[in-house]
Amino acid sequence: MYTQGLLHAKEDDRAAPEPAGALARFQARIDAEEKIEPNDWMPAAYRHTLIRMISQHAHSEIVGMLPEGNWITRAPSLRRKAALIAKVQDEGGHGLYLYAAAETLGVSREELVEQLLAGKAKYSSIFNYPTLTWADIGAIGWLVDGAAIMNQIPLCRCSYGPYARAMIRICKEESFHQRQGFEIMLTLARGTDEQKAMAQDALERWWWPSLMMFGPSDAQSQHSDASLRWKIKRFSNDELRQKFVDATVPQGHFLGLTFPDPDLRYDAASGHWLFGAIDWAEFRNVLAGNGPCNRQRLEQRRKAHEDGEWVRAAALAYAEKRRARAAA
């Protein structure tokens, strides 16, 4: 999910010559499982990779509030509404943690937000799909957050300390989100024929985009080798995708739902669920800005940013007033 940003590294984004022996000492620290902290020396390429990855993760949390926030006023009960509000609020908090982690690498939050609003930064492709029914909220929690957890738990052991520490709290809250989504799907699957059909339809629309969240196949991922060597990532895209499929397919069968993949089958020899070919053309098209909701998502974020200008101005004015009083 958060390695999709690595697809867009610039060809000229290369480190300047490193001090003699510094790279070897840095790699030795990584191999010894030491955490790299903001004031430690690090290769420029390591820093740039982290900025791309963490900022995309932060953008994804913020943009990810939109498809679910769309259903707050239409939730089927007060209990569902309260839980959904809490979840959307959590996602906003996750974005703040992650922007703060990115700032420790020498980039400002304002710069990162501007890149997002200008359409220059990427966020997870999954959030460019519409939420058409209440079942989509269940599917997002079960599948999207389930895929996110599969990505994020290894990030708790990321070699960069601020990112790893932020992920510990985020993973705890994402686990709640995944359980909430599965419970919605379970309620629908055990409901009326119409409700079960709604759950089945949501699975059919969200299954393949959820598999795309892990990024391109290992053969097509240009920067995974360095991320694995530096222990930013602990598993490759395909390894994480397979873990997700193995965990999720039995859950879907428990719900009594059918996955939209005629090639899906259990392979006793490997102990894995084998799945069909992913439509990578669709993935690239959505990343290029041509998904069902790409333009809508950015327009919503730009409007929210503009509407919040007075809040930011007031906060800055209040902070300046406090500094002036303290100096007097």
Side-chain angles (χ1 to χ4, degrees), residues 166-193:
M167 290 313 306
I168 293 173
R169 178 166 181 174
I170 290 174
C171 284
K172 291 178 180 178
E173 293 176 350
E174 291 289 0
S175 295
F176 160 75
H177 300 167
Q178 196 272 345
R179 291 195 297 273
Q180 176 193 359
F182 185 80
E183 195 267 336
I184 292 174
M185 295 295 283
L186 181 62
T187 300
L188 293 172
R190 292 182 174 177
T192 65
D193 290 344

Side-chain angles (χ1 to χ4, degrees), residues 208-282:
W208 290 109
S210 295
L211 296 189
M212 297 175 195
M213 284 176 64
F214 295 94
S217 65
D218 293 347
Q220 300 297 320
S221 184
Q222 301 175 8
H223 303 278
S224 284
D225 288 347
S227 296
L228 289 168
R229 183 173 68 253
W230 288 327
K231 298 188 179 180
I232 297 173
K233 294 171 58 177
R234 296 284 177 156
F235 300 97
S236 72
N237 295 352
D238 287 339
E239 287 173 329
L240 290 169
R241 191 171 7 251
Q242 186 64 63
K243 287 175 179 287
F244 172 71
V245 172
D246 290 342
T248 306
V249 170
Q251 296 171 359
H253 290 166
F254 178 80
L255 293 173
L257 302 179
T258 302
F259 287 87
D261 182 358
D263 296 325
L264 185 67
R265 62 182 179 84
Y266 183 72
D267 179 56
S270 65
H272 294 304
W273 283 90
L274 306 183
F275 52 94
I278 295 173
D279 184 356
W280 292 115
E282 176 184 340

Side-chain angles (χ1 to χ4, degrees), residues 43-161:
Y46 177 85
R47 184 186 302 274
H48 296 326
T49 296
L50 280 168
I51 290 173
R52 283 193 299 271
M53 189 169 175
I54 298 173
S55 63
Q56 187 203 341
H57 191 166
H59 298 330
S60 299
E61 297 284 359
I62 298 301
V63 176
M65 300 165 66
L66 299 174
E68 293 179 299
N70 183 44
W71 275 89
I72 288 175
T73 59
R74 297 181 286 167
S77 70
L78 183 59
R79 172 176 171 265
R80 296 294 192 195
K81 180 178 292 189
L84 186 56
I85 289 172
K87 180 183 179 184
V88 172
Q89 182 175 325
D90 284 348
E91 306 295 2
H94 297 171
L96 293 178
Y97 303 154
L98 293 163
Y99 283 131
E103 285 181 308
T104 67
L105 292 159
V107 62
S108 72
R109 186 176 313 190
E110 291 77 13
E111 181 182 353
L112 296 177
V113 171
E114 180 56 36
Q115 290 172 359
L116 172 65
L117 298 178
K120 297 177 181 179
K122 300 297 179 181
Y123 54 87
S124 181
S125 60
I126 194 74
F127 299 119
N128 290 313
Y129 290 87
T131 46
L132 304 179
T133 70
W134 174 250
D136 288 30
I137 303 304
I140 288 175
W142 172 40
L143 298 175
V144 177
D145 293 325
I149 291 169
M150 200 63 68
N151 260 305
Q152 292 171 358
I153 288 177
L155 290 176
C156 294
R157 297 187 291 124
C158 170
S159 60
Y160 187 59

Side-chain angles (χ1 to χ4, degrees), residues 21-36 40-43 46 159 226 228-231 234:
L23 190 58
R25 290 192 295 272
F26 175 82
Q27 189 62 51
R29 292 190 62 193
I30 296 292
D31 294 341
E33 298 291 343
E34 293 184 27
K35 285 286 184 280
I36 306 302
D40 294 341
W41 183 89
M42 63 187 74
Y46 177 85
S159 60
L228 289 168
R229 183 173 68 253
W230 288 327
K231 298 188 179 180
R234 296 284 177 156

